[in-house]
């Protein structure tokens, strides 16, 4: 009887919490609609825009949530109106600029307000300063295409479909550093609804935090002004390997990380494994290497990769940067929109075990993939070299919140895609096992984890040497913890 009463109390308490959350969300939506109008707020679950915003996520699990409404701001003033209404009602909320974060509630919300930036796509270029300005609603492919007409580009993601929240730097990173290193001025809506700007000379502490420290932690960026870079034609393409070339490609990856000194050369290698049984010639696994060189002739920069027998080679000169971002055979994850999750590692290539580290990581990954056949759609391990030229370029531009140590070293990203509808206990078990596989090779304690490809439990901000400073900035701009408690994102606990 006592157990029944306890369970009943818990159920009633949970239902009351959901009801209160729904009431707060409804109140915020009503207030926002009265200010912005019906055209900018979708409340009905049958509304076509609502359906698109709710379902268009890279991690399909985020689509199970039901926002009280979806708001489509057209300006920073509209965002401010929405934040003030959300704050007054006590509603939860989320910001969606592309929906690529796999982490729960980072860009999704249940019974709260979803702010979707898809209507904020303005972009401009100033030839006198070579500065580029854009709003957060475009993806990288749209931005690359726009700035290409001026013979320029902006630092961003490697794949065109990714939203602007990512701060990696794409295939030009070895020359120019991270995307956040190119920031010159940011328009920001603060947690109290105030609209301000952050730069090296105005709100410089806020500017520092936003350069690689995560957007939702400090405010909502509604306009980016960045240093553009000159762009010409590239030598670029995709190499696809199958059969028994895993070892040779791993050696080529290791050597490229260790020895490449050409900042114009960029490589990303991915091993993808399907859940299909390995019944013949390792056809359940494909190895894809993306090669990009900022110029017509890469010389010998990619020789270790091109001398390995391969199934497909699309590399060629005279490739535009837009074509680079749309290279064939993108990640299976980009196509699947399954229940996708990320985990990240950071590893030295020199020192004890360093030279063998790529092989060690792959072998552990491959053993896990083989053991768990049937419980995933596919899994992948991706190697991202961090060259000395990249860390030097970042530092020359003022550095960022990661304060990256000198290269060479590398990030390794793991992707797990599970089929929809797994029973909760099965899903939890495979996630725990996947996490254990990644943690079996601990990241180097002196290296920062890449924010945008980390699982929430990895607490990447705590790996930054600037963590204490970021905590202080957080307290300054969100003193009552409104963003910390009412939206998802990286925290400073």
């Amino acid at each position: 009887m006592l157990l029944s009463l306890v369970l009943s109390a818990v159920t009633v308490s949970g239902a009351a919490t959901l009801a209160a959350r729904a009431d707060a969300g409804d109140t915020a939506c009503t207030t926002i609609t009265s200010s912005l109008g019906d055209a900018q707020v979708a409340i009905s679950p049958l509304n076509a825009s609502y359906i698109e915003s709710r379902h268009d996520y890279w991690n399909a699990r985020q689509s199970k949530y039901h926002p009280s409404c979806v708001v489509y701001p057209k300006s920073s003033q509209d965002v401010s109106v929405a934040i003030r209404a959300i704050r007054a009602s006590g509603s939860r909320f989320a910001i969606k600029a592309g929906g690529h974060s796999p982490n729960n509630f980072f860009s999704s919300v249940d019974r709260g307000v979803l702010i979707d930036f898809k209507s904020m796509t303005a972009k401009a270029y100033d030839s006198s300063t070579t500065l580029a300005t854009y709003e957060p609603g475009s993806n990288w492919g749209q931005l690359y295409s726009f700035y290409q007409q001026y013979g320029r580009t902006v630092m961003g993601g490697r794949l065109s479909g990714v939203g602007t929240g990512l701060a990696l730097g794409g295939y030009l990173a070895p020359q120019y550093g991270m995307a956040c290193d190119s920031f010159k001025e940011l328009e920001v809506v603060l947690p109290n609804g105030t609209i301000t700007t952050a730069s090296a000379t105005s709100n410089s502490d806020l500017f520092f935090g936003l350069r690689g420290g995560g957007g939702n932690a400090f405010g909502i960026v509604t306009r980016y002004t960045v240093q553009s870079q000159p762009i010409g034609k590239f030598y670029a393409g995709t190499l696809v390997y199958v059969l028994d070339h895993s070892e040779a490609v791993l050696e080529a990856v290791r050597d490229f990380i260790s020895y490449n000194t050409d900042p114009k050369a960029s490589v990303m290698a991915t091993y993808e494994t399907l859940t299909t049984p390995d019944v013949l010639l390792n056809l359940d696994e494909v190895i894809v290497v993306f090669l990009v060189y900022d110029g017509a002739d890469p010389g010998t920069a990619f020789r270790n990769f091109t001398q390995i027998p391969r199934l497909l080679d699309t590399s060629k000169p005279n490739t535009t940067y837009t074509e680079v971002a749309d290279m064939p055979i993108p990640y299976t994850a980009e196509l699947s929109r399954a229940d996708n999750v990320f985990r990240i590692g950071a590893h030295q290539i020199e020192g004890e075990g360093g030279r063998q580290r790529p092989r060690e990581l792959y072998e552990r990954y491959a053993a896990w993939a083989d053991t768990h056949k049937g419980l995933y759609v596919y899994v992948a391990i991706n190697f991202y070299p961090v060259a000395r030229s990249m860390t030097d370029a970042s530092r020359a531009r003022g550095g960022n919140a990661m304060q990256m140590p000198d290269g060479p070293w590398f990030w390794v990203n793991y992707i797990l895609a599970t089929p929809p509808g797994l029973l909760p206990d099965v899903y939890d078990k495979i996630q725990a096992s996947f996490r254990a596989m990644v943690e079996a090779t601990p990241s180097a304690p002196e290296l920062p984890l890449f924010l945008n490809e980390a699982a929430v439990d990895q607490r990447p901000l705590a790996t930054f040497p600037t963590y204490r400073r970021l905590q202080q900035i957080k307290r300054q701009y969100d003193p009552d913890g409104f963003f910390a408690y009412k939206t998802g994102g990286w925290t400073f606990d």
Side-chain angles (χ1 to χ4, degrees):
M1 174 63 77
L2 179 59
L3 178 60
S4 297
L5 290 174
V6 170
L7 291 176
S8 176
V10 170
T11 301
V12 170
S13 175
T17 299
L18 290 176
R21 186 183 301 170
D23 289 345
D26 291 342
T27 299
C29 292
T30 298
T31 303
I32 296 169
T33 302
S34 68
S35 298
L36 302 184
D38 294 334
Q40 286 183 245
V41 184
I43 295 178
S44 171
L46 300 179
N47 181 291
S49 293
Y50 180 104
I51 293 171
E52 179 184 7
S53 294
R54 181 188 163 209
H55 286 282
D56 188 19
Y57 284 99
W58 180 76
N59 179 1
R61 290 181 69 84
Q62 304 306 308
S63 300
K64 67 181 181 181
Y65 302 116
H66 296 80
S68 301
C69 66
V70 184
V71 179
Y72 302 98
K74 296 182 179 179
S75 66
S76 57
Q77 288 74 21
D78 291 349
V79 177
S80 175
V81 166
I83 289 299
R84 291 177 190 274
I86 291 165
R87 189 180 184 97
S89 71
S91 173
R92 289 193 61 81
F93 71 99
I95 306 296
K96 184 179 182 183
H100 268 75
S101 173
N103 289 310
N104 233 15
F105 300 127
F106 275 42
S107 58
S108 61
V109 65
D110 198 26
R111 296 177 173 85
V113 180
L114 178 61
I115 300 175
D116 189 331
F117 275 137
K118 75 174 187 177
S119 296
M120 292 184 63
T121 59
K123 35 188 119 44
Y125 174 68
D126 186 339
S127 60
S128 64
T129 62
T130 67
L131 295 180
T133 302
Y134 56 84
E135 292 179 332
S138 297
N139 62 35
W140 291 114
Q142 292 164 337
L143 292 175
Y144 296 153
S145 179
F146 176 80
Y147 292 110
Q148 189 168 287
Q149 65 183 304
Y150 303 106
R152 310 290 294 189
T153 196
V154 292
M155 301 295 290
R158 288 187 171 98
L159 297 178
S160 62
V162 177
T164 55
L166 180 140
L168 181 57
Y171 292 104
L172 294 177
Q175 293 182 77
Y176 304 116
M178 304 288 285
C180 58
D181 294 324
S182 69
F183 293 172
K184 291 297 185 180
E185 182 179 274
L186 303 172
E187 179 183 74
V188 188
V189 178
L190 297 177
N192 64 6
T194 300
I195 302 170
T196 191
T197 58
S199 69
T201 56
S202 175
N203 295 305
S204 58
D205 49 357
L206 176 62
F207 186 61
F208 176 84
L210 290 168
R211 284 169 61 99
N216 280 13
F218 310 103
I220 303 168
V221 178
T222 51
R223 187 177 65 241
Y224 299 82
T225 299
V226 306
Q227 178 60 61
S228 69
Q229 302 298 342
I231 206 76
K233 294 296 182 70
F234 291 77
Y235 178 94
T238 306
L239 308 182
V240 180
Y241 309 88
V242 290
L243 307 179
D244 297 319
H245 297 302
S246 296
E247 180 73 20
V249 175
L250 282 169
E251 290 181 4
V253 169
R254 179 199 66 195
D255 290 345
F256 186 88
I257 296 171
S258 297
Y259 304 127
N260 176 64
T261 58
D262 189 337
K264 293 180 178 293
S266 186
V267 163
M268 182 180 65
T270 176
Y271 288 71
E272 297 187 0
T273 306
L274 301 177
T275 199
T276 53
D278 175 16
V279 295
L280 181 65
L281 298 177
N282 299 330
L283 293 182
D284 61 327
E285 181 178 80
V286 63
I287 308 165
V288 183
V289 176
F290 298 89
L291 307 177
V292 178
Y293 191 82
D294 187 6
D297 183 4
T300 62
F302 305 134
R303 180 176 57 190
N304 285 0
F305 295 98
T306 56
Q307 65 187 7
I308 302 171
R310 50 206 177 276
L311 179 67
L312 179 68
D313 183 350
T314 68
S315 56
K316 64 183 188 301
N318 298 317
T319 303
T320 67
Y321 199 56
T322 301
E323 291 171 328
V324 167
D326 286 327
M327 281 194 294
I329 315 180
Y331 292 133
T332 306
E334 191 70 13
L335 301 175
S336 70
R337 299 296 169 116
D339 291 355
N340 296 307
V341 298
F342 278 149
R343 301 198 79 84
I344 193 73
H347 302 282
Q348 295 285 4
I349 198 68
E350 302 297 340
E352 184 178 354
R355 296 280 292 152
Q356 299 304 314
R357 193 56 41 79
R359 179 190 297 178
E360 173 192 350
L361 295 168
Y362 167 75
E363 288 177 348
R364 182 166 283 118
Y365 153 85
W368 187 93
D370 185 61
T371 302
H372 292 79
K373 289 284 189 182
L375 293 176
Y376 57 83
V377 177
Y378 82 97
V379 286
I381 182 171
N382 309 301
F383 295 93
Y384 300 153
V386 177
R388 174 63 185 265
S389 61
M390 177 179 173
T391 55
D392 284 350
S394 175
R395 196 168 294 111
R397 287 161 175 76
N400 56 56
M402 280 181 287
Q403 296 291 292
M404 296 183 294
D406 290 343
W409 45 275
F410 67 100
W411 279 309
V412 58
N413 161 250
Y414 302 83
I415 303 175
L416 168 63
T418 53
L422 284 180
L423 294 175
D425 61 331
V426 176
Y427 180 81
D428 290 345
K429 285 179 181 178
I430 191 172
Q431 292 295 332
S433 175
F434 190 68
R435 173 180 178 176
M437 180 270 291
V438 174
E439 292 180 345
T441 309
S443 292
E446 69 276 12
L447 297 178
L449 296 180
F450 180 44
L451 202 68
N452 293 76
E453 295 185 356
V456 64
D457 61 82
Q458 292 188 283
R459 301 185 69 243
L461 288 172
T463 69
F464 295 6
T466 61
Y467 184 58
R468 297 299 180 196
R469 181 180 176 187
L470 294 175
Q471 286 180 309
Q472 293 172 355
I473 297 169
K474 172 65 173 176
R475 287 193 291 268
Q476 178 181 351
Y477 288 93
D478 188 13
D480 59 358
F482 173 57
F483 274 26
Y485 297 112
K486 293 299 183 180
T487 189
W490 305 112
T491 63
F492 293 89
D493 298 335

